[in-house]
Amino acid sequence: MSAASGPGIDVADYRDVWVFVEQHEGEAAPVSWELLAKGRELADETGESLVALVVGDGVAHLAEEAVARGADRALLADDPVFEPYRADPYGEQFRALVEARKPSIVLIGGTHTGRDFAGRVAVPAHAGLTADCTELAVDEEGLLLASRPTFGGSAMATIKCPAHRPQMATVRAGVFDAGEPAEPTENAADAVESVEVVVAEEDTLSTVLERVVGGVVDITDADVIVAGGAGCEGDVTPLVELAEALGGEVAATRAAVEEGWVEPARQVGQTGKTVRPQLYIAAGISGAVQHLEGMNGSDVVVAVNTDPNAPIFEHADYGIVGDLHEVLPALTAMVREKQEVAA
Amino acid sequence: MNDGWNIVVCVKQVPDADDVTIDPDTGTLNRSDAPAVLNKPDHNAVESALALRDAVGGTVTAVTMGPPPASAVLQAAVAAGADGGVLLTDRAFGGSDTWPTSLALARAAEELDADVVICGEESTDSSTGQVPPGIAAHNGWAQLTYTESLDPRPDEGVLVGTRDVEGGYERVATALPVVVAMVFGANDPRPAGLHRKIFAETEFEPVQWTAADLGIEDRVGLVNSPTKVGGMDTASPVERERTRVDSVEALYDHLAEVL
């Protein structure tokens, strides 16, 4: 199949798997390494090279780490214009690199930064871009099969990009495993190529006036999550105490976040985070599909709800009908008691 | 720029997501013929557009792409306070993925001489969030995605947005024109006024533009969409025990195995 319209490209000119290494102030976003590990698998299958794309200011160490983590090569665009992240200079640099080097596949983290970047750079490349993929594979012709849950998570749609390149996909944090971090080998630097920076500060369209990060929890790392919904009725203390006793984190539905009971960074679901803890306790959560989508990958799900017919019970391993304001404190007391005995 | 800004707000008609549940046995959607409504995050976009007009003056024009019934979402925007609406409608648009969709909206924004284009965070039916940065990219304009609030500086021709970024926020000043995507829930949309509502329902007629009107008849539709749906599989429903317990002790015993 040829590109009937669009850029009229020859897809055979495009090869290699690229991973965009998202970083802020020299620190890589964890999803970058998860994608690098997945990209390694895909590149091995297509027999192509895995290339890390590292853009920033003073980020050569990340290019070397990418090589240590399995990239065959790293492309490094290192310049003050790239810190902090802005869509327009990153987009312009990416456009130039794609034109010159023609990657076949590009993987990008499904963070706010990654989605901002992916949406911008897919357009000039006339690339196919699939958002929030949960499975990535290649078919016998080397085409990327990018699968994502469709609305509500009831079905998986597999998206292909037969006639356009690159084939781009974003993937949320926590979907793939990063593997073990490796020490940079002595010759890692040899596999890093500094590329020409094509953006000048005076050509940019935006200025970051202030950037305040840190001190915000990352619930995607937690092994245990105690999540609350509308049933909290303004009191999340039982969640906090149980999470503390279990060494876990508090999370919430969109409804609880909108009420202001729990901070937005802890929201699970379609417009929040995707989590896969060992234990997910859903308290006072009815089980709307938008929420289920964000927690369905949890190992064990517990539901606590006053409504015996709440849909969440159908998506839980263990369910108890009751008020979370009674059930959770009782459970917390029991957990603490056993811990004391054990101590 | 002292006579106000041309503000364009992009809206989308989607199936109402509120009553949709998953059948746990089959993994299929119980959609009960969900009615078509204005995409929820777009309510925040409309509110931001109206608030921006309150602050700097100018006009708010709602734009949507879709078949003629989609003009219902333009009506909703006009009822809320938008000055006018444009329906991009053409068989040629059929099957467009986010690439041609953002091209059509970008061309419309250009035709409307937009200073600021405001969108919702993403649509609830396809949830890619790719259209707002796509519009910006097609036109070579600045972009502000995941925006929580806007601070216009009309004297400087600058829009400052506070963006939600992982682990915090950032404030970014952009040149005009700029494409903004508001965070879902960023504001409290104002209710439609009665007179405005009556006007929207009885007198308002959207302007209609075809692909040819926008000069993009050869660049839209399925054939110009890089992505193709290669297959649909029913997602295997996650197997759960679905064990009901009747006491906290029994629950603890199950959890002790996990912990």
Side-chain angles (χ1 to χ4, degrees):
Chain A
M1 191 170 170
S2 66
S5 53
I9 60 159
D10 184 350
V11 298
D13 292 344
Y14 289 72
R15 51 183 295 115
D16 294 344
V17 177
W18 284 17
V19 171
F20 173 64
V21 178
E22 179 185 336
Q23 60 80 31
H24 300 279
E25 294 177 351
E27 199 174 316
V31 68
S32 306
W33 303 140
E34 295 165 13
L35 293 181
L36 200 70
K38 187 66 190 182
R40 183 70 266 166
E41 287 175 26
L42 297 178
D44 288 344
E45 247 173 273
T46 60
E48 296 173 329
S49 294
L50 174 65
V51 179
L53 176 61
V54 181
V55 184
D57 182 24
V59 289
H61 63 287
L62 295 179
E64 287 173 28
E65 182 170 354
V67 172
R69 284 175 175 270
D72 296 301
R73 287 180 286 125
L75 300 176
L76 174 64
D78 210 333
D79 191 276
V81 77
F82 297 127
E83 184 62 41
Y85 166 84
R86 286 173 293 173
D88 52 294
Y90 271 64
E92 187 54 24
Q93 184 68 42
F94 184 83
R95 188 194 58 72
L97 284 171
V98 167
E99 269 178 22
R101 301 177 185 245
K102 300 184 167 50
S104 177
I105 293 173
V106 180
L107 307 182
I108 298 167
T111 60
H112 283 186
T113 298
R115 288 172 126 226
D116 186 76
F117 173 74
R120 177 118 193 156
V121 301
V123 161
H126 208 157
L129 172 58
T130 307
D132 287 347
C133 301
T134 55
E135 289 171 23
L136 295 174
V138 287
D139 70 8
E140 57 280 0
E141 293 160 31
L143 267 187
L144 181 69
L145 305 174
S147 301
R148 70 187 304 249
T150 61
F151 180 71
S154 63
M156 289 289 282
T158 298
I159 310 295
K160 292 188 198 182
C161 176
H164 293 72
R165 291 292 181 275
Q167 310 165 82
M168 294 176 49
T170 62
V171 180
R172 286 199 191 190
V175 171
F176 298 123
D177 261 332
E180 290 304 310
E183 285 298 314
T185 52
E186 275 175 30
N187 48 7
D190 299 343
V192 176
E193 179 190 347
S194 286
V195 300
E196 186 197 348
V197 172
V198 301
V199 195
E201 183 56 44
E202 56 266 30
D203 298 329
T204 61
L205 305 169
S206 52
T207 308
V208 178
L209 304 177
E210 179 189 22
R211 188 177 164 90
V212 181
V213 291
V216 174
V217 65
D218 182 7
I219 58 169
T220 61
D221 271 350
D223 291 332
V224 175
I225 288 180
V226 184
C232 292
E233 296 178 339
D235 178 13
V236 296
T237 313
L239 309 177
V240 174
E241 290 182 345
L242 180 57
E244 255 175 37
L246 294 171
E249 292 288 351
V250 169
T253 62
R254 170 156 203 97
V257 169
E258 278 185 346
E259 291 286 351
W261 304 335
V262 177
E263 68 208 78
R266 295 179 186 270
Q267 186 188 321
V268 168
Q270 197 182 61
T271 51
K273 302 274 169 27
T274 300
V275 295
R276 293 162 181 262
Q278 287 161 20
L279 174 62
Y280 190 91
I281 300 178
I285 292 174
S286 62
V289 289
Q290 293 86 350
H291 184 74
L292 295 174
E293 206 178 302
M295 48 66 77
N296 241 337
S298 307
D299 289 345
V300 174
V301 176
V302 170
V304 182
N305 205 296
T306 50
D307 175 7
N309 298 317
I312 189 71
F313 286 117
E314 301 300 318
H315 303 277
D317 295 290
Y318 306 108
I320 181 165
V321 177
D323 185 342
L324 70 95
H325 298 94
E326 291 161 17
V327 174
L328 296 195
L331 189 58
T332 303
M334 220 167 280
V335 169
R336 290 214 166 114
E337 196 179 306
K338 306 279 172 168
Q339 283 168 344
E340 275 162 29
V341 171
Chain B
M1 294 248 181
N2 290 329
D3 49 353
W5 288 356
N6 292 332
I7 303 160
V8 169
V9 60
C10 299
V11 291
K12 185 182 183 187
Q13 191 177 49
V14 298
D16 190 354
D18 269 359
D19 292 318
V20 178
T21 55
I22 303 175
D23 184 319
D25 293 316
T26 62
T28 55
L29 277 188
N30 298 325
R31 200 192 285 233
S32 62
D33 291 341
V37 295
L38 174 60
N39 179 45
K40 265 194 164 180
D42 296 351
H43 287 279
N44 299 120
V46 171
E47 174 55 34
S48 288
L50 299 174
L52 191 58
R53 185 187 62 188
D54 291 346
V56 302
T59 57
V60 171
T61 307
V63 178
T64 194
M65 184 172 113
S71 63
V73 294
L74 298 175
Q75 214 174 63
V78 167
D83 298 286
V86 179
L87 174 68
L88 312 181
T89 192
D90 197 322
R91 283 185 189 280
F93 290 135
S96 291
D97 72 1
T98 57
W99 197 96
T101 300
S102 53
L103 172 66
L105 293 168
R107 282 291 303 119
E110 240 174 3
E111 288 294 319
L112 292 164
D113 198 18
D115 296 301
V116 179
V117 178
I118 305 188
C119 308
E121 176 175 332
E122 60 182 38
S123 61
T124 53
D125 61 344
S126 50
S127 46
T128 70
Q130 285 162 200
V131 167
I135 297 170
H138 276 295
N139 286 349
W141 294 354
Q143 72 188 50
L144 290 170
T145 58
Y146 303 100
T147 300
E148 291 169 333
S149 61
L150 293 174
D151 169 18
R153 301 189 179 166
D155 295 340
E156 305 159 48
V158 164
L159 183 65
V160 177
T162 300
R163 298 185 62 228
D164 179 26
V165 296
E166 272 69 25
Y169 69 90
E170 65 180 19
R171 289 194 312 121
V172 183
T174 65
L176 303 185
V178 56
V179 181
V180 177
M182 294 303 295
V183 162
F184 185 20
N187 50 37
D188 288 323
R190 65 192 69 182
L194 182 61
H195 286 98
R196 200 65 203 161
K197 211 172 164 180
I198 292 169
F199 168 80
E201 282 165 13
T202 57
E203 291 177 50
F204 165 69
E205 285 289 337
V207 174
Q208 296 201 12
W209 287 343
T210 64
D213 291 336
L214 297 170
I216 52 172
E217 61 273 33
D218 299 327
R219 302 177 66 200
V220 293
L222 187 65
V223 69
N224 291 293
S225 297
T227 58
K228 312 286 177 201
V229 177
M232 288 285 266
D233 287 307
T234 306
S236 32
V238 182
E239 290 294 327
R240 294 290 176 197
E241 301 283 341
R242 291 193 227 165
T243 302
R244 291 282 176 113
V245 297
D246 50 14
S247 70
V248 177
E249 287 78 8
L251 179 59
Y252 180 85
D253 289 341
H254 284 296
L255 294 191
E257 296 166 19
V258 184
L259 295 169

